[in-house]
Every structure is written in C-alpha cells, then in structure tokens.
Amino acid sequence: MSSEDAAPDPYATPLVFGQRLQILRERRGMSRQVLAGLVAMSASWVKRVENGQLQTPGLDMILQIAEVLRVSNLAELTGRKSMPIALFTGPGHPRLAAVADAVNRFPVGSQSAPAPSPTHIRARLARAWAARHSAPNHREVIGSLLPGLITDAQLSVRQANSAVQRRAAQASLSEVYSLSQFFLAYQPDASLLWRVAERGIVAAQESEDPHTIGVAAWLTGQAHRDSGPHHYDAADEVNLATLRFLEPMLNEAADDVRAITGALQFEVGYTAARRGETGTAWRYWDSAREIAEALPADYYHPVTSFSRAIMGAHAVTIAVELHSGTESVRQAAQAEAAAIPSRPRRARHRIEQARGYHLDGQPDVALATLAHAYEAAPETIQYNGYARRIVLEETEAKAPARRRRACELAARIGLLRT
C-alpha cells in the first residue's frame, strides 16, 4: 500500500475536529450509526460533524465521544495540545514499576528458598483483601504487598509436591492475579493488565476450583467490556460460559460460589445496559438480586463485593449505563452507600450516583457526591474516567460557584497539575 493510501495520523497535521473524529472512529471499526447511538444522536448528525457542516460540539459531547471511542487523550480528538487530559488511563501509580517487574519476571529452574506454605499465602491474601477494602489509599496498600505475593505464589506452584498441592497453589496464584487486576485497572499499561488477566484464567483452570474459576472469569469479562463495544460479545461469552459451568452446582454450593454466580449474572446485565438493552439488563439484575437475597444478611464477597448491600449500587449502574437520568436518580435515592463496607466500592458507588445526577441535569449534586467519593477513597476517584470527565466538564461551568467547586476538586484529584 502506498503512503498516499495510508490512513492519516489524526494529530500529525492540523486537521479539524470532524476529520479527527472520522479517523478515530474508523480506526476502532465503528460505524456512524453505532457511534450515534452510543452518544444519543443521529447518524446524520455524526456525518455532518465529520464533514464540517456542523461546528465542533461542546465539551460535554466531546467527552462522551472520547468515552465511546476510548480516546485516552483529548488532544487526539481536538488537536489542542493544551488538553492532554488522560481520561481512561489514570496516572501511573508510584508502585506500578515494582508490580510490573514481579509480573514480568520469569523465574525458572530450581529455587533455593522454600516456598511459603499455602496457609501462609492464603492468610496474606486475606489480609490484602481486608486492607484493600478498608484503606482510603487502597492502591498504595496493595501495590506494596503485590510484588512479594506474586513471587511467593509463583514459587508455591513450582514447588508443589502433589497434584492436590499444585491445584491449591494454582488457586492462590489465580487469586493473587485477581488482586493484581484491581491495582492495574486504569494504569497506563493495558498489555500488563491483559497479561495478568490471562495468567489468572490459566491458573484458575489449573486449580479446578469453581469459585476461583468464577472470580477469574468475572475479572476477564470486565476487561473485555471495558475495552469497548467491539469486545462486548467476548465479555458475554466469558460470563455466560462460566454461568453454564457454575449454575448446576448451586443447590449444594457454598456461599462464595453462589456469590460469584450472582456477580456474573450482574455482569451480563451490565454489558446489556452498555448495549442499550433495557429488558435484558434488568432481567439479569433481577436474577443477581435473587441470589443476593438468598445469601446471609451480613455476607460480603471479598473480591466482587457481591452481597445484599451491593444490589442497590448495581441498580444505579444499570440505570446510568442505560442513560436514564430520572431512573438513575430514583435508584440513587434508594441505594444506601453506608451499607457498603468497602471504602473503594463505596466510592465507586458514589461516582455512579454522581453520573446519575449529572445525567439528570443536577451538576451541583453530582459534584457534591463526587466530593463524598473522594472522602471515602481518594485513589478510586483519581483513577476513574467517569469522575474525571464530570469534574473536567464542570471546571468550565458558567455558574461561578460551581466552577470554583469543580476546580477545587479537580486540583485535589490531580486533574489541574501544573
């Protein structure tokens, strides 16, 4: 193919917004019709923007388009180098390099040091999950623990002396990779996240443990869904295949297996909501709620947060993903954040509530809710693209008081670093 036939680089030349939009859309293999549906506009509107017949849309619409196209830097879409805001990839955490080194290291051969006992590794994992749920700076906490856990869990697998020991060690290793995915989400190293997800699935399958397999599938399905609309089918395949594997066991299953089944049911509904499939989304939410109601009242899954307490938060997410502002606010009013014991999960719920208020045209309430999210877990809001988008938009609000509050929050979460 000649150089003239190659697709132009959207930021190598001073292209206008519409041209950049068309190039980035086509690079993702997305039709105008699909893009239009995802931003609640018409295909003809997209065509007119791309052709320059309409002016560049406002910041709110630009941010919606950036979200749909998974544009990590607004400068790619706008051409304005003064807007290098990474929306969906947060700043690299100071502990990322150490975690990456532990993941990428590939020790082979015999090891002189004996592996920690499986009981010891599981106790460390339990402490790590507890710390993640209780610490406001949860990424810092688990980032400090992961390098040692990854190394020791790998060593435990290599030194296992029997098939039973090896399966147990693989289950622990898979869980360590699951914990790693929580740290790596929204970090500027997508390939590392996928490497960990794939290793977690392989270790889970080697463990032959239903709960471990369910957790690894839950995280892999999320990774697919968050990769964009063209990966929704892959997310469904992972989730539905795992549900077909788990559901025949439910009558005799332990609480953890039932909980991961409920969590997977919700994930199918979540993906359906992303597609705009209202009936399917709420049907799977109902199925998940039935499982949650059958669990003990105080049960709380240590990885997925699945529980009775989380179903209200899940309802807010479904309504928000369906772009229903009124329903989002209604669900947000019913869901009690204080009932969620995990600080990062409580902060995530506050962010979902803020999205609902923003959809409903209540930006002041949205900003106040994001402030509550920051109080619960600052690192959650710092790395969440939706929260960053709302705050960034409101820094240009016409109302001076709102603009000031948004700028103050933006400075706290690191959006306005100079």
Side-chain angles (χ1 to χ4, degrees):
M1 183 173 64
S2 69
S3 60
E4 289 81 8
D5 295 328
D9 187 323
Y11 38 86
T13 57
L15 302 176
V16 298
F17 177 84
Q19 291 172 307
R20 290 171 179 275
L21 171 59
Q22 182 174 357
I23 291 167
L24 293 167
R25 173 180 63 77
E26 291 176 348
R27 283 186 178 181
R28 290 202 63 81
M30 186 179 295
S31 69
R32 285 173 176 154
Q33 186 70 43
V34 170
L35 174 60
L38 292 171
V39 298
M41 300 298 286
S42 67
S44 63
W45 179 86
V46 175
K47 182 177 180 179
R48 285 184 290 160
V49 171
E50 291 182 347
N51 291 342
Q53 295 173 313
L54 292 178
Q55 292 183 340
T56 300
L59 180 59
D60 182 40
M61 180 55 68
I62 290 174
L63 290 167
Q64 288 187 55
I65 292 170
E67 175 186 332
V68 168
L69 295 179
R70 305 302 291 177
V71 175
S72 62
N73 191 315
L74 281 184
E76 298 178 36
L77 186 58
T78 66
R80 292 172 56 189
K81 299 302 182 182
S82 61
M83 300 179 72
I85 308 295
L87 291 177
F88 303 99
T89 300
H93 194 279
R95 295 199 180 268
L96 177 60
V99 174
D101 181 65
V103 172
N104 292 331
R105 195 181 306 122
F106 190 65
V108 293
S110 59
Q111 301 289 325
S112 57
S117 69
T119 301
H120 178 70
I121 291 176
R122 295 216 62 81
R124 286 164 64 188
L125 270 168
R127 288 196 297 272
W129 286 117
R132 178 187 179 271
H133 289 305
S134 61
N137 58 332
H138 51 95
R139 285 180 187 270
E140 172 65 23
V141 171
I142 64 174
S144 68
L145 299 173
L146 277 171
L149 268 172
I150 292 169
T151 299
D152 287 346
Q154 290 174 337
L155 190 62
S156 180
V157 170
R158 291 197 303 278
Q159 294 186 7
N161 293 320
S162 67
V164 172
Q165 287 182 353
R166 186 173 181 83
R167 286 195 294 271
Q170 291 281 20
S172 293
L173 179 59
S174 181
E175 189 172 337
V176 170
Y177 285 137
S178 295
L179 182 65
S180 301
Q181 286 177 255
F182 281 92
F183 175 83
L184 293 171
Y186 306 113
Q187 293 290 300
D189 195 340
S191 64
L192 184 64
L193 175 65
W194 276 108
R195 194 149 59 249
V196 166
E198 290 166 356
R199 290 183 187 178
I201 279 283
V202 171
Q205 291 171 332
E206 291 292 326
S207 79
E208 301 181 10
D209 177 67
H211 175 252
T212 303
I213 291 170
V215 170
W218 181 79
L219 283 161
T220 301
Q222 289 189 351
H224 279 299
R225 186 186 61 237
D226 290 345
S227 296
H230 285 279
H231 295 264
Y232 291 170
D233 287 347
D236 278 342
E237 176 57 31
V238 171
N239 291 327
L240 292 171
T242 310
L243 283 170
R244 289 192 293 270
F245 168 68
L246 292 174
E247 285 173 340
M249 309 176 188
L250 290 186
N251 286 340
E252 305 295 328
D255 288 342
D256 282 352
V257 174
R258 289 191 290 152
I260 195 58
T261 302
L264 287 163
Q265 291 275 5
F266 169 71
E267 289 300 313
V268 179
Y270 191 162
T271 305
R274 283 272 178 96
R275 286 193 176 101
E277 299 170 352
T278 302
T280 302
W282 286 114
R283 176 164 58 85
Y284 275 99
W285 179 86
D286 277 330
S287 297
R289 180 181 54 81
E290 289 177 7
I291 293 176
E293 291 298 322
L295 292 169
D298 60 348
Y299 177 86
Y300 195 82
H301 191 268
V303 180
T304 69
S305 295
F306 191 80
S307 58
R308 295 187 189 183
I310 210 66
M311 291 313 300
H314 282 341
V316 175
T317 296
I318 292 292
V320 168
E321 293 294 346
L322 289 169
H323 303 289
S324 174
T326 301
E327 181 64 16
S328 300
V329 169
R330 189 179 76 84
Q331 294 292 348
Q334 294 179 352
E336 179 49 60
I340 302 173
S342 168
R343 292 183 72 130
R345 189 59 184 86
R346 192 158 65 245
R348 167 68 189 280
H349 173 50
R350 291 294 194 193
I351 292 169
E352 296 294 275
Q353 287 180 312
R355 292 178 67 196
Y357 289 124
H358 208 249
L359 272 173
D360 198 50
Q362 302 184 50
D364 288 301
V365 181
L367 283 175
T369 306
L370 288 176
H372 288 307
Y374 184 87
E375 292 168 5
E379 288 188 337
T380 295
I381 189 171
Q382 287 168 347
Y383 290 87
N384 186 281
Y386 297 114
R388 293 157 70 89
R389 189 190 87 178
I390 292 171
V391 173
L392 177 62
E393 178 182 342
E394 295 307 324
T395 60
E396 297 192 1
K398 292 181 180 179
R402 188 195 312 152
R403 186 169 63 247
R404 183 178 61 255
R405 286 195 299 273
C407 288
E408 290 171 353
L409 184 54
R412 293 169 75 188
I413 66 179
L415 274 178
L416 297 183
R417 289 192 182 99
T418 58

